[in-house]
Amino acid sequence: MALLMPVALVVGFAFQLGASLQQTFGSGEPTPGTTLAVLLGVAIAVGIPAAVLVVEVRERREDRSRSSAAMIAAIVVLCIAGALDGTALLNTIGTTAQHAQRRAQPATAAERHFGDRDASGELRELGSRTAALLQSDLDPAGAEVTRQECPLRNDQPGTSFIYDLRRPDEGSTAAPTAPTAEERTRFDAVAALWSGAGISQDPPSTEHPEELNGSSPWTVRAVATTSGEVFISTECLADRG
C-alpha cells in the first residue's frame, strides 16, 4: 500500500489539473463536475498516505523494531498532498461560495428595466417611432427583432434583444456628411423620444456625423442615422416574471 502513495499524488494532481482546465476553458465558474473532481483528487492524494500512516502507527505499537521508513514517507507525502490539494480545495470552496453569493443577488435595476412588460414589443415600438421621426423610407414592419439568451450579472438566465432596421450593405464608399438643419431637427425629436425611454444622447461623433448615438444602463448601443436607419441593442435583461 505504501507504494501507492506516489501514485496517489500523481492521480490527485491529475484530477486537480483536469478540473482547473475544464473551469478555465469552460464557464470560468466551478461546476458540480469540477468540484467532484477536486474532492476526488483530495480524497485520493490525502486518503492513501493517511491510511498508510494509520496502519504504520498501529504496526509500530505492536512491533517496536519495525522500520519507521514507511511511516516517515507517509507523513512526507501527506504534507505534500495537504499543501497542494488542500490549497486547491480551499480555492474551490471560496470560488463556489462567491458564485453562490453572486447568484443570490437580485437583478440590477437596468436588468429589470422592462419589469413584466414585453421588452421585444416595446423595443419594436421604440424603433418604429424612431424611424417615423426620421421620416425614414424604410418600412418598420420589415425590422428584425432578434433575441439571444445570456447570463445576468448574478449568473441567472436572461435575454438580450436587437432591433435592426437598416439597408443591406451596398458597399458604399461615400464620405459621411454632417446632417442638414432639417435632419438635426429630426435628430432632436429622436433624442427627446429616447430620453423618455431612458436613453441619453451621446456627444456628436466627428467620424460619423450622420449618426445619432444614445446610451443608457439598459442598452449596449442605440443608433439612428440621417438615412433613416435604426439600430438598438439591449444589455442582458431579466426575463419577465
Side-chain angles (χ1 to χ4, degrees), residues 27-39:
S27 63
E29 299 289 350
T31 63
T34 58
T35 301
L36 179 60
V38 171
L39 293 176

Side-chain angles (χ1 to χ4, degrees), residues 81-114:
L84 296 178
D85 297 271
T87 301
L89 179 60
L90 290 176
N91 288 337
T92 299
I93 292 174
T95 304
T96 302
Q98 292 175 359
H99 182 57
Q101 183 180 17
R102 184 163 59 252
R103 288 182 64 86
Q105 298 299 315
T108 66
E111 293 169 335
R112 292 182 285 104
H113 176 77
F114 290 96

